[in-house]
Amino acid sequence: MCLVAFGLVVGAHPASAATTLVACAGTQTISYAPGLTNTPGTVTAQGTNNLGPCVAPNTNITAGTISFGATGTFSCQGLLSSTSEVNVVHWSDGSTSTLNVTRTVTKVNGQLVNTFTGVVTAGTFQGASVAWTIANLTLQLLACETANGLTSLTGVDVFTLVSV
């Protein structure tokens, strides 16, 4: 599935108009403490997107990591909300890219598909367009109705940066 999705994202950019600067497959893990429920409450969310292997012509980049954490008022309904975010990719060569992205979410066959679009605002690949998709494959929304709530999510990343 990862290769199929990877081909779709990379193929979404017309060859004559855009050049792929970096393309990565990857995985995402997020933990919630306490678990997310349908009732908003104070929750700490921590996660990591491990990007790799990556193909980045004319660079030494082979992988990247995006780590995040926040404490706030969250619920399972928030998983379906669109957001604006700033994320920093820490590349395997020691460089970074700051991403300013908008996340939209769709629910497909019980899975959440998060689509991020935006631009690299600082660092390596500054000015590049971001096309990033995360499919949360093990989503168990029924856990939102239990006392323990939804305590974790995992997903598959498809990440590309293109110049236009």
Side-chain angles (χ1 to χ4, degrees), residues 1 3 10 22 25 64 87 109 111 124 127 129 131-133 140 148 150 154:
M1 176 167 161
L3 292 176
V10 173
V22 62
N87 292 287
N109 297 325
Q111 300 172 5
T124 301
S129 295
W132 177 19
T133 302
Q140 298 185 14
N148 290 333
L150 180 68
T154 59

Side-chain angles (χ1 to χ4, degrees), residues 15-98:
S16 61
T19 301
T20 300
L21 301 172
V22 62
C24 308
T27 59
Q28 178 190 65
T29 57
I30 304 174
S31 64
Y32 301 102
L36 293 175
T37 65
N38 289 322
T39 304
T42 301
V43 175
T44 298
Q46 293 186 317
T48 303
N49 290 283
N50 290 308
L51 304 175
C54 296
V55 176
N58 305 314
T59 75
N60 292 322
I61 292 171
T62 59
T65 303
I66 301 170
S67 298
F68 54 91
T71 299
T73 302
F74 301 115
S75 72
C76 283
Q77 280 63 42
L79 296 173
L80 300 170
S81 299
S82 295
T83 59
S84 294
E85 302 179 11
V86 175
N87 292 287
V88 178
V89 183
H90 295 270
W91 296 111
S92 58
D93 70 350
S95 66
T96 61
S97 296
T98 302

